[in-house]
Amino acid sequence: FFVRDVSVHKHKLETMTRQEGAALQKRVVAALGILVIVWLVGSHLRPSNKDDWSTCPSSEPLPANGKKVLVTGAAGFIGSHVAKACAEMGLHVVGIDDMSGGFYENVPSHNNMVFFKGDVKDAEFLERLFKKQGPFDYVYHLAAYAAEGLSHFIPSYNYRNNLVASVEVLNLAIKHKVKCFVFTSSIAVYGAVPDDMAESVTPTPEDPYGVSKYAMELHLKSAHEMHGMEYVIFRPHNVYGPNQNIADKYRNVVGIFMNQIVHKKPLTIFGDGKQSRSFSYIDDVAPVIARSALLPHARNQIFNVGADESFSLNDLAAAVSKAMGVPNDVKHLDARKEVVHSAVSNAKVRCFFKLKDPVSLADGLAKTAAWVKAIGKTFLPVEFANVEIIQNMPPSWVRSDLGQSAAIVHDDKDNARAREFEQKHFPNGVPQP
């Protein structure tokens, strides 16, 4: 409107003083600034066309045969299932894990797969691996220490394992011309956002774990623009199922509950138990991640992946107790800092991957309970000897022997079960690439 005013009364400009001209210029700039702000806010608040997945993109899947892939975290929970799915699709899989939290029993036994022990923070190990076992067509990076709540008390360890280590893997992938980098991020990147969490929402992570995952997402986008590295990013949420570490008291609430039942302890819930989550069975997550590198239309996209329906922790405790065949015995602890309610939109991933309905909570828990009953008591705790910050830790996490250290180390020496396996099956040392 200011510009029109100037056009209609153009002759006035010729008689303006310098001060009047400067004042008019400021009005024009201010008006344009307001228009830009209104446009930016409006474009952020109004529904994005990207959230409308009534029309789904598609492409012809690339062949799996003859392709070689690297799967990091292959002895862990999700990583072992992704490695298995990749091998079953016909991909040749090289799996690695530092065994700080994974288990050799999780590593798939398949003709299409080999496994090596190694730390993704070790750039020299990665260089040797890529040279001797590559070239790799795709990298599936799942190695991480995924404990949102605990990350407040081990922030340096968190960033070294979840961000710096991820950058090391990506560096080698870029140098060795990997065609696609599949990265498992987390729903933790969203933080506390209004319902529901869709990929178009700008992440605002609230804990160091979520911050590290979002930072790596941004770094991947930068690597795509600078180096042409194609990627697929997944944000799983509350995944459970066979192969998860049920002895880890810091993460995976389904596993925590089942482990407490195995040891005849009450199910512990922080707060009133009304906080809600979507709980995702592993078979609804791992095969999707495995397929992603073979679908050209999924490249350079971000996907939430998991279940749609949310349940309160009180309801989950009752369902887990039923699956395990025991009375529901819950003990409520003091509330901790955490997101209270989270509802996740999986419309995009269902559209791109043409997914069927997810496994119901009851069916998923029944399958997990059968696995836990078979092996549950053989799990030994994998705990931290020290943390970086004890202040404000939940009392149930603070052991009498828990130390505080500026630079903590949590590696395979803290994994008694893995050490016992190595002594029995690898008396001459674990094979190296």
Side-chain angles (χ1 to χ4, degrees):
F1 53 94
F2 286 120
V3 175
R4 185 188 63 182
D5 183 68
V6 171
S7 298
V8 172
H9 303 284
K10 184 177 179 181
H11 66 281
K12 291 185 178 181
L13 292 174
E14 299 174 357
T15 60
M16 274 186 180
T17 66
R18 181 174 297 176
Q19 290 81 1
E20 289 173 330
L24 176 61
Q25 185 179 24
K26 289 180 180 180
R27 292 171 64 196
V28 172
V29 171
L32 291 175
I34 292 172
L35 291 174
V36 169
I37 291 171
V38 170
W39 178 81
L40 287 173
V41 173
S43 64
H44 178 71
L45 294 178
R46 64 173 174 265
S48 168
N49 291 331
K50 293 182 179 179
D51 290 340
D52 179 10
W53 301 112
S54 55
T55 302
C56 299
S58 62
S59 59
E60 189 69 24
L62 300 172
N65 291 336
K67 299 289 197 312
K68 196 174 202 180
V69 304
L70 172 65
V71 178
T72 70
F77 173 33
I78 300 179
S80 63
H81 285 274
V82 170
K84 180 181 179 182
C86 287
E88 291 177 345
M89 289 192 306
L91 295 167
H92 294 282
V93 180
V94 175
I96 61 172
D97 200 294
D98 70 353
M99 306 312 297
S100 62
F103 301 103
Y104 286 102
E105 295 88 343
N106 288 353
V107 178
S109 177
H110 198 286
N111 290 336
N112 284 350
M113 181 169 175
V114 294
F115 176 82
F116 300 102
K117 179 182 176 181
D119 190 343
V120 290
K121 296 191 299 296
D122 185 346
E124 292 182 358
F125 164 77
L126 290 174
E127 186 71 63
R128 186 167 67 253
L129 178 79
F130 271 76
K131 286 182 177 179
K132 293 188 176 182
Q133 295 296 321
F136 298 114
D137 294 281
Y138 315 126
V139 168
Y140 295 83
H141 180 46
L142 294 102
Y145 187 74
E148 295 176 47
L150 187 63
S151 68
H152 289 288
F153 311 100
I154 52 168
S156 177
Y157 177 87
N158 165 77
Y159 290 120
R160 282 181 277 124
N161 280 268
N162 297 328
L163 178 56
V164 176
S166 299
V167 172
E168 297 288 5
V169 179
L170 180 58
N171 283 352
L172 270 295
I174 293 170
K175 288 168 61 177
H176 290 266
K177 311 298 182 185
V178 168
K179 298 180 181 68
C180 184
F181 192 97
V182 180
F183 176 60
T184 302
S185 182
S186 170
I187 212 72
V189 302
Y190 288 112
V193 300
D195 292 346
D196 57 355
M197 298 181 190
E199 293 86 350
S200 58
V201 172
T202 301
T204 54
E206 296 187 330
D207 56 69
Y209 176 67
V211 171
S212 67
K213 288 294 189 177
Y214 187 45
M216 187 58 192
E217 288 188 13
L218 296 176
H219 183 57
L220 266 174
K221 294 178 182 179
S222 173
H224 172 65
E225 294 178 3
M226 177 58 66
H227 304 292
M229 172 57 69
E230 296 200 307
Y231 63 85
V232 186
I233 295 171
F234 286 97
R235 295 170 177 168
H237 44 99
N238 299 296
V239 186
Y240 69 95
N243 291 9
Q244 72 180 118
N245 182 2
I246 66 169
D248 191 330
K249 68 178 183 180
Y250 306 118
R251 54 180 175 169
N252 299 327
V253 64
V254 171
I256 291 172
F257 282 171
M258 290 190 174
N259 187 51
Q260 290 172 330
I261 289 172
V262 166
H263 292 91
K264 303 186 185 308
K265 296 180 179 180
L267 310 187
T268 53
I269 296 177
F270 292 104
D272 59 13
K274 294 180 181 179
Q275 56 267 52
S276 61
R277 303 286 187 271
S278 300
F279 300 98
S280 311
Y281 188 62
I282 187 63
D283 286 354
D284 292 323
V285 176
V288 179
I289 295 174
R291 288 171 51 202
S292 63
L294 300 176
L295 297 179
H297 69 280
R299 299 280 176 91
N300 310 317
Q301 297 288 334
I302 299 175
F303 301 98
N304 297 335
V305 59
D308 297 309
E309 189 175 1
S310 294
F311 296 86
S312 72
L313 293 189
N314 290 329
D315 290 339
L316 177 68
V320 169
S321 297
K322 181 178 180 180
M324 294 290 286
V326 300
N328 185 29
D329 179 17
V330 173
K331 178 182 179 181
H332 290 274
L333 306 176
D334 291 340
R336 64 176 181 175
K337 181 177 174 56
E338 63 179 326
V339 175
V340 178
H341 301 293
S342 66
V344 184
S345 171
N346 299 295
K348 182 178 179 181
V349 74
R350 298 202 180 289
C351 177
F352 272 66
F353 290 82
K354 298 178 172 54
L355 302 180
K356 299 178 181 178
D357 291 337
V359 175
S360 70
L361 182 64
D363 289 346
L365 290 178
K367 294 177 182 179
T368 308
W371 174 77
V372 167
K373 289 176 181 178
I375 57 86
K377 287 187 177 181
T378 66
F379 266 88
L380 298 173
V382 178
E383 295 187 284
F384 282 75
N386 299 284
V387 294
E388 296 161 14
I389 302 170
I390 289 182
Q391 181 180 339
N392 295 329
M393 280 190 78
S396 63
W397 287 358
V398 181
R399 308 186 313 273
S400 59
D401 63 339
L402 182 65
Q404 186 171 245
S405 174
I408 64 171
V409 176
H410 180 70
D411 54 23
D412 58 330
K413 297 181 181 63
D414 299 301
N415 189 342
R417 182 169 176 166
R419 290 202 316 273
E420 290 178 1
F421 189 98
E422 289 177 5
Q423 292 168 0
K424 181 178 180 180
H425 297 277
F426 305 118
N428 297 320
V430 180
Q432 294 294 309

